[in-house]
Amino acid sequence: MKPSVCIIGAGMGGLTAGAFLAKNGFDVTILEKATSVGGSAGFYTRKDRRFPTGATVAFGLEEDGVLNKLLNELNIHPPTMELLHPMDVILPDRKVSIYKDKMRWERELQIRFSEREKDVLLFWKKLEQIGEDVLSVTKSEVSLPIQRMYDVGSFPSFALKNPLSVTRLAKYASWTVEKLLKTYNLHTYLPLRQFLDAQLIDAVQTEVSEAALLPSSVALTIYRKGSFTIENGIGQLCELLKDYIIQLGGHVYLSSPLTKVQYDQTTKFWQVESKKCNESFSTIINNSGISFGDYTSYEGSDISWGAFRIDAILRIEVAHLLQGNALPFAFQIVSDNPQLEKYCHNPIYATFHEFQSGGEDHLAEVLMSISVHTEDKRWIQLSKESYKKEKNFLMDLLMQEVEKVFPYKKHLLFAEAGTPITYKRFVGKSKVGGFPLTVKNAIWRPRSFRTKLPNWYIVGEQAFPGPGTLSAALSGYYASRAIIKEYS
């Protein structure tokens, strides 16, 4: 009999693990609470349109990219579009446009941070050098924390060929982004700090003062490698992974939340029950972020944020703006509105996605999502009446902030908001986005995909690397590699 694996949660980590395990002959079953796959990289349907659950931009899909390499091994090729101008970051006193082109980006840095342009350019070039080193190590497929020989991947070979890179990484291992800023006397330069904080809060879940330099260097410079959208959203990639698993004989059960999981000491198998599955499995991979008992997840450790979001439908005219590059794919807005501080944390993130309607005229629309970090507890504690009132109030505030940047309301057809309680209902948890990549979490004590439980693994945004679509996929790949090695 082929070894059997049950994967709880069909997010990027679970689907990637499932695809590689199925490819290597394992009997894979995935249980997903939602009606579609993807988790934080998936989608849901509202007004007959597919809105992204969370992640909207994919990294690592360039020709030699890490995610592209994994997908090539599975012969999966999602339809992508590269973003040459992925984002505008709106600060209280200036706008910073992010470009893929290196020369254009450096010119943007000089113009937008003209008060300190020379120091900013020197800082950024050092950041890019460190980021290159980190990406090169990532391509060696080393998995932290190293607990087995195969966890080192091809890193020993890389270290022999690139001793200067290894030396630099060792030097900066315990550094924060703020420490690098201080070396260029930029730590008190507010505009740059605001820009970096806006980028880092979305990418590594924390700010300059706490963000580990090594992973942050990649997050801040990766746009020059390439950023991509996927036709019909990143959820489409998740659908392709699901189909791949099914084609190889695996099972993916949607609307099937886990109701019971118990280890049988006699058979050494896990007994699993859900709405659509009642079987025994040799191995469990938890991609749900939900705890089912001691050591089954990292839930509650320091997963950092809940999300408040608005889904909107805009008229066809906005599609023309996107096609003509008059609009970037996304805005990050650092607001100075004091009313927002009560409800959420900067930045406000707004993305635009072209949608081809299914009507006879096949007119294009644009789906707009506005999201922001918020504390989940403040929403859970509200009465029904207060909840509705405060949700509408924050929705209006956020829409006003986006309107200042892009006057979209004249194009608006529909808008509806959701809180962490909405996420709890549809995804099964009120906090999303992973843990903050501090030096402790990313370097000194990274969370392993392995656990103290027999044949129980954790992947996705709670493991390391996990926060972010690319990192979640890597966590799934590393876990699948370990399981394959253990059974070989």
Side-chain angles (χ1 to χ4, degrees):
M1 293 180 63
K2 293 184 292 184
S4 58
V5 180
C6 177
I7 300 173
I8 307 167
M12 273 297 296
L15 289 166
T16 304
F20 277 96
L21 289 169
K23 180 186 177 184
N24 284 273
F26 286 73
D27 184 6
V28 175
T29 296
I30 298 182
L31 306 178
E32 171 56 52
K33 176 180 180 178
T35 57
S36 60
V37 297
S40 296
F43 63 89
Y44 53 88
T45 302
R46 176 177 279 176
K47 292 288 182 178
D48 297 323
R49 280 81 167 173
R50 284 168 49 137
F51 288 93
T53 308
T56 52
V57 178
F59 299 100
L61 288 174
E62 62 274 13
E63 187 175 351
D64 63 342
V66 176
L67 183 55
N68 193 50
K69 179 179 180 292
L70 295 182
L71 296 178
N72 282 339
E73 289 184 38
L74 302 171
N75 198 29
I76 292 176
H77 308 287
T80 63
M81 182 181 74
E82 189 169 21
L83 299 170
L84 303 181
H85 175 196
M87 187 183 300
D88 283 345
V89 181
I90 312 299
L91 304 178
D93 68 340
R94 67 195 72 193
K95 178 183 76 172
V96 183
S97 295
I98 295 176
Y99 300 107
K100 182 196 175 183
D101 182 78
K102 181 179 174 65
M103 291 182 64
R104 193 174 183 186
W105 168 241
E106 290 185 357
R107 181 61 181 153
E108 181 75 3
L109 287 174
Q110 290 176 304
I111 294 170
R112 303 308 174 190
F113 302 110
S114 57
E115 305 94 337
R116 300 289 304 277
E117 61 175 283
K118 290 182 180 179
D119 290 331
V120 169
L121 275 178
L122 288 172
F123 164 80
W124 208 272
K125 287 177 180 178
K126 175 57 69 175
L127 203 63
E128 287 178 338
Q129 183 185 54
I130 298 168
E132 284 284 351
D133 291 336
V134 176
L135 274 177
S136 297
V137 169
T138 302
K139 290 177 181 178
S140 76
E141 297 186 356
V142 61
S143 172
L144 299 177
I146 295 171
Q147 297 174 338
R148 306 283 193 278
M149 281 301 298
Y150 53 77
D151 289 340
V152 302
S154 61
F155 178 74
S157 175
F158 169 84
L160 286 172
K161 295 177 182 177
N162 302 276
L164 290 178
S165 292
V166 174
T167 301
R168 277 194 297 267
L169 290 174
K171 173 183 177 180
Y172 295 117
S174 63
W175 283 40
T176 61
V177 175
E178 179 151 44
K179 187 170 181 179
L180 186 64
L181 283 171
K182 286 182 178 179
T183 64
Y184 297 94
N185 198 27
L186 288 168
H187 58 293
T188 58
Y189 180 40
L190 185 59
L192 180 62
R193 193 180 185 99
Q194 289 175 325
F195 171 77
L196 294 174
D197 280 343
Q199 292 278 283
L200 290 172
I201 287 172
D202 272 338
V204 301
Q205 316 305 321
T206 190
E207 298 176 340
V208 162
S209 59
E210 296 290 334
L213 178 59
L214 296 190
S216 298
S217 65
V218 176
L220 291 167
T221 64
I222 199 168
Y223 289 100
R224 255 56 65 203
K225 293 293 183 182
S227 56
F228 301 81
T229 59
I230 296 175
E231 188 177 310
N232 294 322
I234 295 179
Q236 183 66 27
L237 171 56
C238 298
E239 290 276 356
L240 293 174
L241 288 166
K242 178 200 73 174
D243 293 343
Y244 180 87
I245 293 165
I246 293 172
Q247 288 167 10
L248 291 176
H251 303 277
V252 180
Y253 296 114
L254 302 178
S255 303
S256 187
L258 190 71
T259 55
K260 180 181 178 183
V261 58
Q262 184 175 339
Y263 187 67
D264 190 315
Q265 294 285 354
T266 302
T267 64
K268 308 300 181 184
F269 271 65
W270 289 95
Q271 309 298 319
V272 172
E273 293 181 14
S274 77
K275 186 177 179 181
K276 300 178 181 178
C277 177
N278 188 351
E279 297 180 34
S280 297
F281 297 92
S282 60
T283 302
I284 301 287
I285 298 176
N286 187 5
N287 181 217
S288 70
I290 299 171
S291 175
F292 302 97
D294 292 344
Y295 310 117
T296 60
S297 83
Y298 296 117
E299 183 181 26
S301 50
D302 57 0
I303 304 300
S304 53
W305 54 273
F308 185 100
R309 61 178 289 137
I310 300 166
D311 293 325
I313 301 171
L314 307 179
R315 290 191 180 93
I316 186 173
E317 296 85 10
V318 181
H320 298 321
L321 295 174
L322 281 173
Q323 293 162 1
N325 293 320
L327 271 179
F329 177 78
F331 288 112
Q332 269 186 342
I333 305 169
V334 179
S335 172
D336 55 3
N337 185 340
Q339 289 183 294
L340 285 169
E341 294 180 7
K342 176 183 175 183
Y343 295 94
C344 56
H345 310 287
N346 275 315
I348 301 163
Y349 194 60
T351 59
F352 303 89
H353 318 262
E354 192 172 345
F355 174 80
Q356 198 74 24
S357 69
E360 293 182 3
D361 50 5
H362 297 285
L363 293 178
E365 298 171 331
V366 168
L367 308 184
M368 179 178 69
S369 293
I370 303 171
S371 61
V372 71
H373 296 183
T374 186
E375 296 294 336
D376 64 324
K377 290 180 181 178
R378 78 169 323 279
W379 298 97
I380 294 169
Q381 296 169 353
L382 294 173
S383 66
K384 187 175 181 179
E385 183 178 343
S386 296
Y387 172 85
K388 182 178 180 180
K389 181 180 178 180
E390 297 208 10
K391 183 178 81 167
N392 291 335
F393 182 71
L394 180 54
M395 178 179 176
D396 289 341
L397 280 180
L398 294 175
M399 293 177 76
Q400 289 169 22
E401 292 298 312
V402 177
E403 178 73 11
K404 293 175 187 176
V405 176
F406 167 57
Y408 69 90
K409 288 186 178 179
K410 60 187 176 183
H411 306 293
L412 184 63
L413 296 173
F414 165 84
E416 189 169 327
T419 72
I421 292 178
T422 313
Y423 271 89
K424 180 76 172 178
R425 187 184 315 130
F426 290 105
V427 183
K429 53 189 177 180
S430 59
K431 288 188 176 182
V432 294
F435 54 91
L437 290 183
T438 61
V439 172
K440 174 186 173 183
N441 288 339
I443 308 300
W444 301 133
R445 294 180 62 186
R447 291 172 171 80
S448 175
F449 54 80
R450 298 182 179 92
T451 71
K452 295 182 179 181
L453 300 174
N455 297 325
W456 185 289
Y457 299 82
I458 298 171
V459 302
E461 62 190 22
Q462 291 195 359
F464 182 83
T469 300
L470 170 58
S471 295
L474 279 172
S475 76
Y477 170 72
Y478 293 149
S480 69
R481 179 177 67 180
I483 293 167
I484 292 165
K485 293 285 188 182
E486 293 300 322
Y487 279 97
S488 63

mmCIF file with all atom_site columns, all heavy atoms in Angstrom, residues 244-255:
data_model
loop_
_atom_site.group_PDB
_atom_site.id
_atom_site.type_symbol
_atom_site.label_atom_id
_atom_site.label_alt_id
_atom_site.label_comp_id
_atom_site.label_asym_id
_atom_site.label_entity_id
_atom_site.label_seq_id
_atom_site.pdbx_PDB_ins_code
_atom_site.Cartn_x
_atom_site.Cartn_y
_atom_site.Cartn_z
_atom_site.occupancy
_atom_site.B_iso_or_equiv
_atom_site.pdbx_formal_charge
_atom_site.auth_seq_id
_atom_site.auth_comp_id
_atom_site.auth_asym_id
_atom_site.auth_atom_id
_atom_site.pdbx_PDB_model_num
ATOM 1  N N   . TYR A 1 244 ? -3.984  18.761 -10.189 1.00 0.00 ? 244 TYR A N   1
ATOM 2  C CA  . TYR A 1 244 ? -2.818  17.890 -10.333 1.00 0.00 ? 244 TYR A CA  1
ATOM 3  C C   . TYR A 1 244 ? -2.890  16.731 -9.332  1.00 0.00 ? 244 TYR A C   1
ATOM 4  O O   . TYR A 1 244 ? -2.634  15.564 -9.676  1.00 0.00 ? 244 TYR A O   1
ATOM 5  C CB  . TYR A 1 244 ? -1.556  18.715 -10.114 1.00 0.00 ? 244 TYR A CB  1
ATOM 6  C CG  . TYR A 1 244 ? -0.264  17.956 -10.235 1.00 0.00 ? 244 TYR A CG  1
ATOM 7  C CD1 . TYR A 1 244 ? 0.356   17.792 -11.464 1.00 0.00 ? 244 TYR A CD1 1
ATOM 8  C CD2 . TYR A 1 244 ? 0.362   17.425 -9.107  1.00 0.00 ? 244 TYR A CD2 1
ATOM 9  C CE1 . TYR A 1 244 ? 1.557   17.100 -11.578 1.00 0.00 ? 244 TYR A CE1 1
ATOM 10 C CE2 . TYR A 1 244 ? 1.562   16.742 -9.198  1.00 0.00 ? 244 TYR A CE2 1
ATOM 11 C CZ  . TYR A 1 244 ? 2.160   16.575 -10.445 1.00 0.00 ? 244 TYR A CZ  1
ATOM 12 O OH  . TYR A 1 244 ? 3.344   15.897 -10.539 1.00 0.00 ? 244 TYR A OH  1
ATOM 13 N N   . ILE A 1 245 ? -3.226  17.055 -8.094  1.00 0.00 ? 245 ILE A N   1
ATOM 14 C CA  . ILE A 1 245 ? -3.327  16.023 -7.051  1.00 0.00 ? 245 ILE A CA  1
ATOM 15 C C   . ILE A 1 245 ? -4.417  15.008 -7.396  1.00 0.00 ? 245 ILE A C   1
ATOM 16 O O   . ILE A 1 245 ? -4.226  13.787 -7.268  1.00 0.00 ? 245 ILE A O   1
ATOM 17 C CB  . ILE A 1 245 ? -3.597  16.688 -5.684  1.00 0.00 ? 245 ILE A CB  1
ATOM 18 C CG1 . ILE A 1 245 ? -2.384  17.508 -5.251  1.00 0.00 ? 245 ILE A CG1 1
ATOM 19 C CG2 . ILE A 1 245 ? -3.962  15.655 -4.617  1.00 0.00 ? 245 ILE A CG2 1
ATOM 20 C CD1 . ILE A 1 245 ? -2.651  18.474 -4.115  1.00 0.00 ? 245 ILE A CD1 1
ATOM 21 N N   . ILE A 1 246 ? -5.555  15.492 -7.860  1.00 0.00 ? 246 ILE A N   1
ATOM 22 C CA  . ILE A 1 246 ? -6.666  14.603 -8.218  1.00 0.00 ? 246 ILE A CA  1
ATOM 23 C C   . ILE A 1 246 ? -6.291  13.716 -9.403  1.00 0.00 ? 246 ILE A C   1
ATOM 24 O O   . ILE A 1 246 ? -6.606  12.511 -9.427  1.00 0.00 ? 246 ILE A O   1
ATOM 25 C CB  . ILE A 1 246 ? -7.931  15.429 -8.512  1.00 0.00 ? 246 ILE A CB  1
ATOM 26 C CG1 . ILE A 1 246 ? -8.429  16.100 -7.221  1.00 0.00 ? 246 ILE A CG1 1
ATOM 27 C CG2 . ILE A 1 246 ? -9.028  14.568 -9.125  1.00 0.00 ? 246 ILE A CG2 1
ATOM 28 C CD1 . ILE A 1 246 ? -9.559  17.083 -7.429  1.00 0.00 ? 246 ILE A CD1 1
ATOM 29 N N   . GLN A 1 247 ? -5.599  14.273 -10.394 1.00 0.00 ? 247 GLN A N   1
ATOM 30 C CA  . GLN A 1 247 ? -5.185  13.492 -11.559 1.00 0.00 ? 247 GLN A CA  1
ATOM 31 C C   . GLN A 1 247 ? -4.264  12.336 -11.180 1.00 0.00 ? 247 GLN A C   1
ATOM 32 O O   . GLN A 1 247 ? -4.242  11.299 -11.851 1.00 0.00 ? 247 GLN A O   1
ATOM 33 C CB  . GLN A 1 247 ? -4.485  14.398 -12.572 1.00 0.00 ? 247 GLN A CB  1
ATOM 34 C CG  . GLN A 1 247 ? -5.420  15.346 -13.303 1.00 0.00 ? 247 GLN A CG  1
ATOM 35 C CD  . GLN A 1 247 ? -4.670  16.445 -14.058 1.00 0.00 ? 247 GLN A CD  1
ATOM 36 O OE1 . GLN A 1 247 ? -3.440  16.394 -14.187 1.00 0.00 ? 247 GLN A OE1 1
ATOM 37 N NE2 . GLN A 1 247 ? -5.404  17.441 -14.550 1.00 0.00 ? 247 GLN A NE2 1
ATOM 38 N N   . LEU A 1 248 ? -3.518  12.506 -10.092 1.00 0.00 ? 248 LEU A N   1
ATOM 39 C CA  . LEU A 1 248 ? -2.609  11.454 -9.640  1.00 0.00 ? 248 LEU A CA  1
ATOM 40 C C   . LEU A 1 248 ? -3.267  10.534 -8.611  1.00 0.00 ? 248 LEU A C   1
ATOM 41 O O   . LEU A 1 248 ? -2.581  9.766  -7.926  1.00 0.00 ? 248 LEU A O   1
ATOM 42 C CB  . LEU A 1 248 ? -1.343  12.085 -9.061  1.00 0.00 ? 248 LEU A CB  1
ATOM 43 C CG  . LEU A 1 248 ? -0.435  12.785 -10.086 1.00 0.00 ? 248 LEU A CG  1
ATOM 44 C CD1 . LEU A 1 248 ? 0.745   13.451 -9.399  1.00 0.00 ? 248 LEU A CD1 1
ATOM 45 C CD2 . LEU A 1 248 ? 0.060   11.804 -11.140 1.00 0.00 ? 248 LEU A CD2 1
ATOM 46 N N   . GLY A 1 249 ? -4.591  10.617 -8.511  1.00 0.00 ? 249 GLY A N   1
ATOM 47 C CA  . GLY A 1 249 ? -5.326  9.698  -7.645  1.00 0.00 ? 249 GLY A CA  1
ATOM 48 C C   . GLY A 1 249 ? -5.629  10.217 -6.265  1.00 0.00 ? 249 GLY A C   1
ATOM 49 O O   . GLY A 1 249 ? -6.216  9.497  -5.439  1.00 0.00 ? 249 GLY A O   1
ATOM 50 N N   . GLY A 1 250 ? -5.265  11.452 -5.974  1.00 0.00 ? 250 GLY A N   1
ATOM 51 C CA  . GLY A 1 250 ? -5.559  12.020 -4.669  1.00 0.00 ? 250 GLY A CA  1
ATOM 52 C C   . GLY A 1 250 ? -7.007  12.479 -4.544  1.00 0.00 ? 250 GLY A C   1
ATOM 53 O O   . GLY A 1 250 ? -7.768  12.486 -5.516  1.00 0.00 ? 250 GLY A O   1
ATOM 54 N N   . HIS A 1 251 ? -7.380  12.863 -3.335  1.00 0.00 ? 251 HIS A N   1
ATOM 55 C CA  . HIS A 1 251 ? -8.748  13.320 -3.063  1.00 0.00 ? 251 HIS A CA  1
ATOM 56 C C   . HIS A 1 251 ? -8.698  14.690 -2.399  1.00 0.00 ? 251 HIS A C   1
ATOM 57 O O   . HIS A 1 251 ? -7.888  14.930 -1.497  1.00 0.00 ? 251 HIS A O   1
ATOM 58 C CB  . HIS A 1 251 ? -9.479  12.342 -2.140  1.00 0.00 ? 251 HIS A CB  1
ATOM 59 C CG  . HIS A 1 251 ? -9.533  10.940 -2.664  1.00 0.00 ? 251 HIS A CG  1
ATOM 60 N ND1 . HIS A 1 251 ? -10.473 10.508 -3.562  1.00 0.00 ? 251 HIS A ND1 1
ATOM 61 C CD2 . HIS A 1 251 ? -8.710  9.873  -2.426  1.00 0.00 ? 251 HIS A CD2 1
ATOM 62 C CE1 . HIS A 1 251 ? -10.269 9.244  -3.858  1.00 0.00 ? 251 HIS A CE1 1
ATOM 63 N NE2 . HIS A 1 251 ? -9.203  8.829  -3.181  1.00 0.00 ? 251 HIS A NE2 1
ATOM 64 N N   . VAL A 1 252 ? -9.540  15.595 -2.851  1.00 0.00 ? 252 VAL A N   1
ATOM 65 C CA  . VAL A 1 252 ? -9.667  16.916 -2.249  1.00 0.00 ? 252 VAL A CA  1
ATOM 66 C C   . VAL A 1 252 ? -11.131 17.119 -1.897  1.00 0.00 ? 252 VAL A C   1
ATOM 67 O O   . VAL A 1 252 ? -11.987 17.205 -2.781  1.00 0.00 ? 252 VAL A O   1
ATOM 68 C CB  . VAL A 1 252 ? -9.180  18.027 -3.197  1.00 0.00 ? 252 VAL A CB  1
ATOM 69 C CG1 . VAL A 1 252 ? -9.339  19.397 -2.529  1.00 0.00 ? 252 VAL A CG1 1
ATOM 70 C CG2 . VAL A 1 252 ? -7.722  17.801 -3.601  1.00 0.00 ? 252 VAL A CG2 1
ATOM 71 N N   . TYR A 1 253 ? -11.419 17.166 -0.591  1.00 0.00 ? 253 TYR A N   1
ATOM 72 C CA  . TYR A 1 253 ? -12.797 17.315 -0.124  1.00 0.00 ? 253 TYR A CA  1
ATOM 73 C C   . TYR A 1 253 ? -13.015 18.748 0.349   1.00 0.00 ? 253 TYR A C   1
ATOM 74 O O   . TYR A 1 253 ? -12.386 19.194 1.317   1.00 0.00 ? 253 TYR A O   1
ATOM 75 C CB  . TYR A 1 253 ? -13.085 16.348 1.018   1.00 0.00 ? 253 TYR A CB  1
ATOM 76 C CG  . TYR A 1 253 ? -13.008 14.891 0.627   1.00 0.00 ? 253 TYR A CG  1
ATOM 77 C CD1 . TYR A 1 253 ? -12.013 14.064 1.151   1.00 0.00 ? 253 TYR A CD1 1
ATOM 78 C CD2 . TYR A 1 253 ? -13.928 14.342 -0.264  1.00 0.00 ? 253 TYR A CD2 1
ATOM 79 C CE1 . TYR A 1 253 ? -11.941 12.723 0.812   1.00 0.00 ? 253 TYR A CE1 1
ATOM 80 C CE2 . TYR A 1 253 ? -13.859 12.998 -0.621  1.00 0.00 ? 253 TYR A CE2 1
ATOM 81 C CZ  . TYR A 1 253 ? -12.859 12.199 -0.076  1.00 0.00 ? 253 TYR A CZ  1
ATOM 82 O OH  . TYR A 1 253 ? -12.791 10.873 -0.436  1.00 0.00 ? 253 TYR A OH  1
ATOM 83 N N   . LEU A 1 254 ? -13.889 19.475 -0.336  1.00 0.00 ? 254 LEU A N   1
ATOM 84 C CA  . LEU A 1 254 ? -14.232 20.839 0.056   1.00 0.00 ? 254 LEU A CA  1
ATOM 85 C C   . LEU A 1 254 ? -15.438 20.822 0.985   1.00 0.00 ? 254 LEU A C   1
ATOM 86 O O   . LEU A 1 254 ? -16.170 19.823 1.053   1.00 0.00 ? 254 LEU A O   1
ATOM 87 C CB  . LEU A 1 254 ? -14.525 21.678 -1.188  1.00 0.00 ? 254 LEU A CB  1
ATOM 88 C CG  . LEU A 1 254 ? -13.397 21.763 -2.221  1.00 0.00 ? 254 LEU A CG  1
ATOM 89 C CD1 . LEU A 1 254 ? -13.842 22.582 -3.427  1.00 0.00 ? 254 LEU A CD1 1
ATOM 90 C CD2 . LEU A 1 254 ? -12.134 22.350 -1.611  1.00 0.00 ? 254 LEU A CD2 1
ATOM 91 N N   . SER A 1 255 ? -15.662 21.913 1.694   1.00 0.00 ? 255 SER A N   1
ATOM 92 C CA  . SER A 1 255 ? -16.765 22.004 2.669   1.00 0.00 ? 255 SER A CA  1
ATOM 93 C C   . SER A 1 255 ? -16.734 20.811 3.615   1.00 0.00 ? 255 SER A C   1
ATOM 94 O O   . SER A 1 255 ? -17.752 20.203 3.922   1.00 0.00 ? 255 SER A O   1
ATOM 95 C CB  . SER A 1 255 ? -18.115 22.075 1.940   1.00 0.00 ? 255 SER A CB  1
ATOM 96 O OG  . SER A 1 255 ? -18.163 23.160 1.050   1.00 0.00 ? 255 SER A OG  1
#
